[in-house]
Amino acid sequence: MSSMERICVVVCGVLLLMSTASVGWEQKHDYKLALSKSLLFFEGQRSGKLPPNQRLTWRKDSALRDGQEGGVDLTGGYYDAGDNVKYSFPMAFTATMLAWSIIEFGDGMAEGGEWINAAETLRWNTDFLLKATANLPNTVYAMVGNPNSDHNCWERPEDMDTPRPVYAVNTTHPGSEVAGEIAAALAAASIAFKNYDAAYSWRLLSKAKEAYYFANKYQGSYNDAIGHAVCPFYCDFSGYQDELAWAGAWLNKATNTKKYQKHVDSAIRKIKLMEEVTQNYYIDTEFSWDNKHAGLYVLLSQIGQYKKEAQTFACGVLPESPTRTIKYTPGGLLFKTEGCNSQVVGSLSLLALIYAKHVRLARERITCGNTKFPAWKLVEFAKNQADYILGTNPTGMSYMVGFGPKFPQRIHHRAASLPSINAHPSFIACGNGFSYLDNPNPNLNELTGAIAGGPNTGTDHFDDDRRQAAQTEPTTYVNAPFVGVFAYFVNHKK
């Protein structure tokens, strides 16, 4: 029995006693299975030397020299999506979402028998983030790989022969958003691991403080520092003040102090000023790898701060709210963007469940204009979104690969579409893989648990075509919040 397994024997038992299942809606789907598969997906995104317990065995070791061009070790971590590049900004947000899911709904993970897998999924990420911050206080590594040369190939990660340059931010060319999100991720993860691996938790928190100091002292956007590499793929469109506030809030929570509060309040003042200037008053329903506004307010509302803004988020997403700002498809899917809409569905669903938990514990209600809603309306919203993703929709298709009788067969993903090393040991050159991209047949390997981008027209229409990346490409930051959503519904019916 591994140390992680021994820990879980005790911890998971305690978490199970905390389970508060109640009578409620019909369970339309097997949420334990959805939780299990949503975590399994991350094993298909692993970079580096794979562990002996790797379950998706069609994936093999890859990118074992990452970081060498910069004289550092940047092996490991996750490929962000269907290509073979590693970006620290969205990878850190993925870690923050996984950690928050464990913190809030670890009892569901324990009941579903997935706590160990969730912890290992998070640790694979945070181990890389520790490498990305190994040269603090002066440098944070933000990216490995050349996205342009990578996108000019359709190649297995195991065959990768494209350049693997290292891109960093530093004191003269700062990147507050990437350093801030890493700080938030490590702080949140330190809470998730605190009762399970105290030494690792302390290490994460110590590095989170260093990353935050760097992000806050040397303020500036990585768009200006390394925009030639990260843009247009992961440009920061919302500015970096949200990451500074977000990281400060997580550090307050991790340290159980208000040490960072003045920084949080200062950053939020700047955010609100920008809202006034741009007249973008719908920003409180934004939450993604780029924009932390709604998540920030929900997090702070748990300690009685910025309650009005958190309520604005809830009122913005509730279908019956008179102040709703979110649109829905005819089939009931939250629709906000034509590019990977599932990211928004997952992140806002997770926020709704976390905020509902707080409102219920505080014995409060959600006030939207002249209408008041109980907390369970947010749970109902999240459940409807989760059920849609799992197959309760006009197409009858689950948007999770391997879940249900009908699911996407042609996701936009190099490793999944190309023959595995097991099936085709010989090298497949960069340009030779495009015949697999254009092939109309199903992918050769099942990337179990991958959640596709989903319908992107607001009409519930979906093209199962790997060339339609906006609809069929999976990403780590789509799956990460859904881990928490599915974990909640494992042992809650309302």
Side-chain angles (χ1 to χ4, degrees):
M1 181 181 290
S2 69
S3 59
M4 188 74 78
E5 289 170 328
R6 286 194 296 272
I7 291 168
C8 193
V9 168
V10 177
V11 173
C12 294
V14 174
L15 289 172
L16 284 174
L17 292 175
M18 296 165 57
S19 173
T20 56
S22 60
V23 176
W25 303 290
E26 172 192 0
Q27 299 289 81
K28 293 182 178 179
H29 299 284
D30 185 342
Y31 301 112
K32 286 185 180 180
L33 184 62
L35 171 63
S36 177
K37 289 178 182 287
S38 67
L39 287 165
L40 184 58
F41 156 75
F42 286 93
E43 297 193 17
Q45 297 301 111
R46 283 173 170 169
S47 179
K49 180 71 176 176
L50 301 185
N53 63 349
Q54 171 81 9
R55 293 176 294 171
L56 287 183
T57 56
W58 53 268
R59 278 295 326 282
K60 304 299 178 184
D61 300 344
S62 62
L64 297 179
R65 296 190 297 272
D66 272 2
Q68 282 190 2
E69 290 195 24
V72 291
D73 175 13
L74 292 174
T75 57
Y78 293 115
Y79 301 117
D80 69 305
D83 53 16
N84 302 322
V85 185
K86 296 190 300 198
Y87 301 87
S88 298
F89 191 15
M91 197 190 306
F93 179 70
T94 295
T96 313
M97 292 300 92
L98 288 169
W100 206 1
S101 294
I102 292 172
I103 292 166
E104 298 289 347
F105 306 126
D107 55 342
M109 296 174 190
E111 184 168 328
E114 294 294 333
W115 185 88
I116 292 175
N117 288 327
E120 290 182 347
T121 299
L122 175 59
R123 187 161 187 156
W124 191 271
N125 194 320
T126 51
D127 281 351
F128 176 82
L129 296 180
L130 289 172
K131 293 180 179 181
T133 52
N135 282 354
L136 281 173
N138 300 315
T139 303
V140 168
Y141 296 100
M143 182 176 165
V144 183
N146 184 312
N148 294 308
S149 61
D150 183 89
H151 290 181
N152 286 332
C153 295
W154 194 261
E155 195 169 30
R156 298 179 297 197
E158 294 85 357
D159 286 336
M160 224 183 337
D161 57 355
T162 53
R164 302 295 285 175
V166 173
Y167 298 92
V169 294
N170 54 41
T171 57
T172 57
H173 297 83
S176 294
E177 57 277 272
V178 62
E181 187 60 46
I182 290 175
L186 296 177
S190 76
I191 302 172
F193 283 110
K194 187 173 184 178
N195 294 328
Y196 321 132
D197 188 336
Y200 189 62
S201 172
W202 180 88
R203 184 183 174 198
L204 294 173
L205 182 55
S206 177
K207 189 59 70 172
K209 293 175 182 178
E210 284 189 69
Y212 184 77
Y213 179 83
F214 173 85
N216 193 51
K217 182 176 181 179
Y218 305 104
Q219 292 193 22
S221 174
Y222 84 155
N223 290 357
D224 299 321
I226 55 172
H228 61 285
V230 297
C231 294
F233 311 102
Y234 289 102
C235 281
D236 179 15
F237 295 102
S238 67
Y240 54 81
Q241 294 299 331
D242 53 331
E243 278 78 35
L244 291 178
W246 174 243
W250 272 111
L251 278 163
N252 278 344
K253 188 176 180 72
T255 58
N256 196 28
T257 68
K258 292 187 176 180
K259 180 179 179 180
Y260 301 87
Q261 192 60 46
K262 66 178 182 180
H263 300 300
V264 172
D265 292 335
S266 174
I268 290 177
R269 282 194 297 270
K270 293 175 182 176
I271 290 170
K272 291 184 176 292
L273 178 61
M274 185 59 65
E275 288 182 21
E276 293 286 342
V277 171
T278 61
Q279 296 188 346
N280 185 1
Y281 300 110
Y282 300 136
I283 207 163
D284 292 346
T285 56
E286 297 283 350
F287 189 50
S288 66
W289 61 264
D290 175 35
N291 192 315
K292 309 306 180 311
H293 293 88
L296 170 65
Y297 295 135
V298 168
L299 178 63
L300 291 171
S301 73
Q302 294 179 319
I303 55 173
Q305 298 177 354
Y306 297 95
K307 296 171 67 175
K308 178 182 175 182
E309 289 82 357
Q311 196 152 238
T312 297
F313 152 72
C315 294
V317 301
L318 283 174
E320 305 95 329
S321 169
T323 57
R324 173 168 63 88
T325 57
I326 292 290
K327 297 178 181 179
Y328 290 86
T329 67
L333 179 68
L334 181 157
F335 180 71
K336 198 172 177 69
T337 178
E338 293 184 357
C340 195
N341 188 63
S342 291
Q343 177 196 182
V344 185
V345 176
S347 60
L348 296 189
S349 294
L350 178 63
L351 281 191
L353 292 174
I354 293 171
Y355 187 57
K357 177 181 176 181
H358 165 72
V359 170
R360 180 181 289 143
L361 290 173
R363 297 183 179 181
E364 297 175 350
R365 294 172 74 84
I366 303 158
T367 303
C368 306
N370 295 322
T371 307
K372 293 183 181 294
F373 296 99
W376 65 262
K377 293 299 291 183
L378 281 173
V379 178
E380 181 182 60
F381 153 77
K383 185 175 186 299
N384 288 340
Q385 297 307 301
D387 287 345
Y388 187 107
I389 293 296
L390 296 177
T392 306
N393 56 58
T395 66
M397 171 182 280
S398 161
Y399 291 107
M400 176 186 282
V401 174
F403 188 93
K406 182 182 179 184
F407 54 84
Q409 301 291 321
R410 302 164 187 84
I411 60 170
H412 181 93
H413 194 274
R414 286 160 174 75
S417 66
L418 288 155
S420 69
I421 296 292
N422 292 336
H424 191 289
S426 300
F427 176 76
I428 300 175
C430 164
N432 293 345
F434 283 106
S435 61
Y436 293 94
L437 169 65
D438 298 327
N439 192 319
N441 294 329
N443 286 352
L444 296 173
N445 307 299
E446 182 182 284
L447 185 58
T448 307
I451 298 175
N456 74 334
T457 61
T459 62
D460 300 299
H461 175 74
F462 177 77
D463 289 317
D464 188 8
D465 182 344
R466 72 178 64 87
R467 293 169 299 181
Q468 301 295 325
Q471 295 188 62
T472 60
E473 186 169 20
T475 72
T476 59
Y477 46 87
V478 166
N479 268 59
F482 273 114
V483 167
V485 172
F486 298 140
Y488 176 91
F489 289 114
V490 164
N491 66 348
H492 293 79
K493 296 183 179 178
K494 195 169 181 180

